[in-house]
Each structure stands twice: as structure tokens, then as C-alpha cells.
């Protein structure tokens, strides 16, 4: 019994060390992304040595990068299954040339020229600007308030409007995840768009998402709806019209309302208002809202369930009152917003589709 208790206590100590230093995984991987190591390996068409990686690192200020430091970083990332490592058979004793590093299914998501890369999002979320609010969580618990504002003196949208470099970092991160999610939607939700004649994308930015939906479903008349200053810079897309306005006041009429990663930015009261305006915008009997957002399952073991809980804390760190929601929480705000019926459709991505109906 004592030995069993001692074993559990030791395991507990090991866990605390792991959590204490878990940032090291993210920082090692950030280094690999900044040095474009996945791209370097991919450009060779197969596993490469440390010397080959070092010689191809872009914008190096030194003619001789620190291969020892690189080796230690790569060793951890191999342990984390980000890269593979195998010994070559050239007989050399130089480890920088005898170990060859390759890509895995994970590191392929970090190729910068892949249309579905996660590199911009990774660089965004691990940037000091976006890491700083996490250090304010205890203050948020004690005092309430917004973590981002506590760390930077203003909320994220105001910070972005006054800091072009941050704005670009943020927009690039959002754009890359939007492509990944939209790709999953278009591949798995074909029937959902099939009977829609007109679709309004609420908070659609400059119209990238609605243009892709219309391209795949040409029968749809697309409406890209966002704040006036946002749609003012939107390019022209076939089959898409841009409308400026405020979703808290009214939403353009359409057969269906589409909202991708919009609701999680707002508290329940604001979400109910958006839903009420959505209901006014669609036909009473045949209309629907198509919400793309995380559905939390705190006890779940599905592929993205753990990440969903982390994403909820991400909303604490970066949003102004936003949250991820469980099925019961979605049911509550949908009902209050005028949508008593809904169904959840799983797609191969972090969020799900919540299809809701006014009757």
C-alpha cells in the first residue's frame, strides 16, 4: 500500500514537471516554423541531415548556424512525433550527417506553401503579444475583466486597429484556419447548401468564405455581410454582393444565415441578439442558420475534445467575453434566440456545424 502511494506521488511530481514546462514543446516547434525546417525537409523530397537543414536556413546572420542547438531542439520534436529520425548508412561518425530527419503527418500541417497550412496560426498564438494575456488569468478570476485588455491596455480589436504588424499577424492566423475549416465544410456539408437559394455570411470579412461556397454551389446568391469599413476593402467575387452593417441591428434577408467562428466571440446575451436578428432575416418555415463553432464535450474522448477545452481558455485570453459552448449551452441560447430545433453535424475539423431552424 505504501509503495503504491509512493508510486502515485512520484507520478504526480512527474506530471507537475510536465505541465510546468509544457511551453517548451510550443517554443521548440515555433523555432522550427520560424526557421522553416518543415519546408527545408520537404524541398529535399525526403529525410535530410542536420547539416543540410542548417545550410538551408533562410536569413541566417551566421555562416555557421549552431548545429548543436539545432540537434537538441530536433531531438525533442522527434520525441513529440513532429519529425522522424533515422540513421544513415554512410559510416560517418558525424551525427550531424548520420541522422536524417523527415516529416510526419503533423509537420506537414506546417508547410508554408501548403494551402491548408497552420503555420500562420501557430506563429500568431505563440507570439509574445498573444501569450501575455495568459499571464493575467489569476487577475481575471480575482477582479473580473478582460485578459487581453489587462495585458495590453486595450481590447484586441482596438489593439489591432492601432498596430499594423499585429493586425497582419492576426489576420494571417485567422485566414489560414478559415481555409482549413471551410475545406472541411465544403467536403462534408454538400447537402446542407444544396437547397439554399441565397446565403448571407454574417461577419464574413472580405468575402473569402462565401465566395468559395458560391463557387461550389453556383445556385446560391451570396451576401457577404460585415462592418462597413471591412466590406469597403472587399474584392469583387462572382455571385457575391457585399453589404455593410451591424449584426446587432439587422441582418440582410436570405434563405439561410451562415456564421463561422462568430458566436464564440460573444457572451450569451449578445449571441441571443444575433440569433433573433438572424431569425428575422430568414423565411419562417424553410429558413435556417448554419453555425460553425466548437461544441464542447468536457468528458469526451473524440479527436478534438481536449483542444476544445483549451480553445475555451483561448477565448478568455483573447476575446471580450466570448466562450466555447457545450451542447446544452448551445440549446439554451438557440431556444432564446428563436431556434427551438437544431442538429449538430460533425466535420473533420476542430469546430462542428450547428444547423438550427425557427420551427
Amino acid at each position: 500500500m505504501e509503495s503504491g502511494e509512493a508510486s502515485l506521488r512520484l507520478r504526480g511530481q512527474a506530471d507537475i514537471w510536465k505541465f510546468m514546462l509544457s511551453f517548451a514543446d510550443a517554443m521548440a516547434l515555433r523555432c522550427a516554423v520560424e526557421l522553416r525546417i518543415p519546408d527545408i525537409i520537404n524541398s529535399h523530397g525526403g529525410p535530410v541531415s542536420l547539416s543540410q537543414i542548417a545550410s538551408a536556413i533562410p536569413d541566417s546572420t551566421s555562416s555557421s548556424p549552431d548545429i548543436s542547438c539545432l540537434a537538441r531542439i530536433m531531438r525533442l520534436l522527434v520525441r513529440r512525433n513532429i519529425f522522424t529520425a533515422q540513421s544513415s548508412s554512410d559510416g560517418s561518425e558525424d551525427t550531424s550527417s548520420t541522422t536524417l530527419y523527415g516529416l510526419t503527418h503533423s509537420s506537414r500541417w506546417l508547410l508554408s506553401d501548403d494551402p491548408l497550412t497552420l503555420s500562420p496560426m501557430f506563429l500568431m498564438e505563440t507570439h509574445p503579444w498573444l501569450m501575455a494575456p495568459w499571464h493575467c488569468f489569476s487577475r481575471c478570476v480575482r477582479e473580473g475583466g478582460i485578459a487581453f485588455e489587462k495585458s495590453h491596455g486595450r481590447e484586441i480589436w482596438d489593439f489591432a486597429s492601432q498596430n499594423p504588424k499585429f493586425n497582419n499577424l492576426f489576420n494571417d492566423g485567422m485566414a489560414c484556419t478559415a481555409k482549413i475549416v471551410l475545406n472541411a465544410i465544403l467536403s462534408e456539408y454538400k447537402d446542407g447548401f444544396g437547397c439554399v437559394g441565397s446565403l448571407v455570411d454574417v461577419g464574413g470579412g472580405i468575402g473569402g468564405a462565401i465566395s468559395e461556397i458560391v463557387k461550389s454551389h453556383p445556385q446560391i446568391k451570396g451576401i457577404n455581410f460585415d462592418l462597413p469599413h471591412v466590406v469597403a476593402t472587399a474584392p469583387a467575387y462572382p455571385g457575391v454582393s457585399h453589404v455593410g452593417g451591424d449584426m446587432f441591428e439587422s441582418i440582410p434577408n436570405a434563405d439561410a444565415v451562415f456564421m463561422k467562428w462568430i458566436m464564440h466571440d460573444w457572451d450569451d446575451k449578445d449571441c441571443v441578439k444575433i440569433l433573433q436578428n438572424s431569425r428575422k432575416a430568414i423565411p419562417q418555415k424553410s429558413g435556417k442558420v448554419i453555425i460553425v463553432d466548437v461544441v464542447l464535450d468536457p468528458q469526451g474522448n473524440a479527436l478534438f475534445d481536449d483542444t476544445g477545452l483549451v480553445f475555451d481558455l483561448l477565448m478568455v485570453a483573447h476575446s471580450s467575453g466570448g466562450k466555447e459552448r457545450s451542447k446544452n449551452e448551445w440549446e439554451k441560447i438557440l431556444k432564446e434566440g428563436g431556434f427551438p430545433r437544431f442538429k449538430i453535424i460533425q466535420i473533420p475539423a476542430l469546430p462542428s456545424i450547428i444547423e438550427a431552424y425557427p420551427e
Side-chain angles (χ1 to χ4, degrees):
M1 186 68 178
E2 286 185 5
S3 62
E5 178 62 27
S7 177
L8 289 173
R9 185 167 173 77
L10 188 61
R11 167 51 58 188
Q13 182 192 154
D15 285 343
I16 295 303
W17 279 110
K18 180 179 72 173
F19 297 138
M20 184 194 311
L21 301 172
S22 61
F23 67 88
D25 292 348
M27 293 301 101
L29 189 49
R30 179 182 173 88
C31 169
V33 174
E34 289 179 322
L35 298 178
R36 303 186 73 154
I37 291 174
D39 294 330
I40 292 169
I41 296 173
N42 190 56
S43 67
H44 279 76
V48 296
S49 67
L50 284 175
S51 297
Q52 289 173 305
I53 293 172
S55 66
I57 290 173
D59 304 319
S60 177
T61 57
S62 169
S63 59
S64 54
D66 190 334
I67 289 184
S68 174
C69 180
L70 177 61
R72 292 157 71 182
I73 291 167
M74 292 297 286
R75 180 170 60 188
L76 179 65
L77 294 176
V78 168
R79 174 86 175 191
R80 297 293 183 260
N81 297 314
I82 301 297
F83 299 107
T84 61
Q86 62 189 63
S87 297
S88 68
S89 54
D90 64 359
S92 169
E93 294 183 3
D94 179 8
T95 57
S96 69
S97 62
T98 57
T99 300
L100 302 179
Y101 297 88
L103 299 175
T104 65
H105 289 298
S106 297
S107 45
R108 289 190 180 279
W109 283 95
L110 298 171
L111 295 171
S112 63
D113 61 352
D114 192 302
L116 300 182
T117 182
L118 272 169
S119 284
M121 184 67 166
F122 198 97
L123 292 174
M124 171 191 141
E125 291 296 352
T126 56
H127 192 282
W129 278 326
L130 286 151
M131 295 292 290
W134 293 85
H135 291 270
C136 298
F137 274 22
S138 58
R139 284 183 60 196
C140 288
V141 172
R142 290 193 188 102
E143 309 162 5
I146 297 166
F148 195 94
E149 187 176 28
K150 289 179 185 296
S151 63
H152 294 296
R154 57 183 69 108
E155 294 183 37
I156 191 166
W157 309 118
D158 290 336
F159 189 77
S161 69
Q162 298 179 32
N163 186 327
K165 187 175 179 182
F166 175 82
N167 191 53
N168 290 337
L169 179 77
F170 186 84
N171 288 342
D172 288 347
M174 292 298 99
C176 83
T177 53
K179 286 181 183 178
I180 291 168
V181 173
L182 190 61
N183 183 68
I185 293 168
L186 292 175
S187 66
E188 299 293 322
Y189 188 65
K190 297 174 184 176
D191 295 342
F193 293 122
C195 58
V196 175
S198 58
L199 180 70
V200 56
D201 184 0
V202 174
I206 60 170
I210 189 69
S211 70
E212 290 299 317
I213 294 171
V214 169
K215 191 185 297 182
S216 295
H217 301 272
Q219 88 284 357
I220 293 177
K221 174 190 173 185
I223 304 165
N224 178 56
F225 180 64
D226 213 309
L227 294 169
H229 76 271
V230 175
V231 299
T233 63
Y237 297 105
V240 175
S241 60
H242 299 290
V243 178
D246 184 340
M247 64 185 174
F248 291 107
E249 294 178 2
S250 66
I251 290 171
N253 292 337
D255 293 336
V257 170
F258 180 76
M259 291 184 282
K260 177 173 60 63
W261 266 339
I262 297 298
M263 304 287 275
H264 75 167
D265 285 328
W266 304 96
D267 63 23
D268 288 358
K269 182 180 178 181
D270 285 334
C271 283
V272 168
K273 182 62 177 174
I274 296 168
L275 288 166
Q276 288 171 340
N277 286 339
S278 296
R279 180 170 177 174
K280 294 174 186 175
I282 60 174
Q284 178 65 29
K285 295 189 179 296
S286 60
K288 63 181 176 181
V289 294
I290 304 161
I291 299 167
V292 182
D293 248 312
V294 169
V295 179
L296 291 180
D297 185 355
Q299 308 303 322
N301 293 309
L303 193 59
F304 291 107
D305 282 340
D306 191 72
T307 306
L309 294 176
V310 177
F311 233 72
D312 184 45
L313 293 187
L314 195 71
M315 302 314 295
V316 176
H318 298 155
S319 77
S320 305
K323 59 189 286 192
E324 305 299 351
R325 295 173 170 88
S326 67
K327 181 181 178 181
N328 289 342
E329 289 172 315
W330 279 113
E331 182 176 22
K332 181 177 181 292
I333 64 169
L334 285 167
K335 189 172 183 180
E336 290 178 18
F339 293 88
R341 289 196 306 119
F342 73 98
K343 65 179 177 180
I344 295 170
I345 302 166
Q346 303 294 333
I347 57 174
L350 173 59
S352 300
I353 293 173
I354 303 143
E355 194 177 72
Y357 326 95
E359 286 187 355

